[in-house]
Amino acid sequence: MASGLLLLRIVLGLTLAGHGAQKLFGVWGGGGPKGTAAGFESMGFRAPGAMALLAGLGEFGGGLGVAAGLLTPFAGLALATVMGVAIFSVHWKNGFWAGNGGYEYNLLIAASAVALAAVGPGRFSLDHAFGWDNLCGAKWGAGAAIAAFVISWLVLALGRKRPEAAAA
């Protein structure tokens, strides 16, 4: 089981850290802070630069934390929150399937991150090395899922302009 969790953590974590690096540093074809901020501005966010930074840090930091198995429930929370915002601000209207621009991929990432918060990172992790094996379980997983949903909702409810204000 430990080797399976390690594989999941490394692939999930480094993939998301790469997405965060695109946003933060403009590497691997990413828009960097300015391009990412322009994207958030086009979606009607009030503070697009701050949103670009937060999304990049959530993916980059959360991804590295998941990959290393460090403070895993909090790293999972960061990833699930960024994915929640992406689902409801971009992908929901396109339906489920990613091929149509839907939320399938983002939901899979969020569910994987929350699942890791619940089961823990396994033996080959920094959490285990530091003796933090108790940072997992159903309560941690449920807490990460609920907190990600609430934070995503707050970001969308408070962080975006009203549609009529965005159009003006």
Side-chain angles (χ1 to χ4, degrees):
M1 186 165 90
S3 58
L5 288 171
L6 177 64
L7 175 64
L8 175 61
R9 286 193 356 257
I10 288 174
V11 172
L12 178 67
L14 293 183
T15 298
L16 270 291
H19 278 275
Q22 288 179 312
K23 291 172 178 64
L24 293 173
F25 312 120
V27 297
W28 303 308
K34 287 184 181 181
T36 305
F40 277 106
E41 185 171 26
S42 74
M43 291 184 280
F45 281 89
R46 295 178 195 274
M51 287 302 305
L53 179 64
L54 289 172
L57 288 173
E59 287 180 338
F60 189 71
L64 291 179
V66 162
L70 178 63
L71 298 171
T72 304
F74 301 103
L77 168 62
L79 296 182
T81 300
V82 174
M83 292 303 108
V85 172
I87 287 169
F88 294 114
S89 64
V90 177
H91 301 286
W92 187 262
K93 66 181 180 282
N94 300 321
F96 181 73
W97 299 110
N100 297 325
Y103 58 90
E104 166 193 17
Y105 173 70
N106 306 91
L107 180 62
L108 184 60
I109 291 168
S112 299
V114 168
L116 283 169
V119 300
R123 183 178 46 184
F124 306 122
S125 67
L126 291 177
D127 284 351
H128 179 75
F130 294 142
W132 297 339
D133 294 312
N134 60 337
L135 293 178
C136 66
K139 290 180 183 177
W140 285 98
I146 293 166
F149 182 82
V150 169
I151 295 167
S152 298
W153 182 83
L154 287 171
V155 166
L156 293 169
L158 302 175
R160 288 194 299 184
K161 302 171 191 168
R162 292 203 165 115
E164 61 274 3

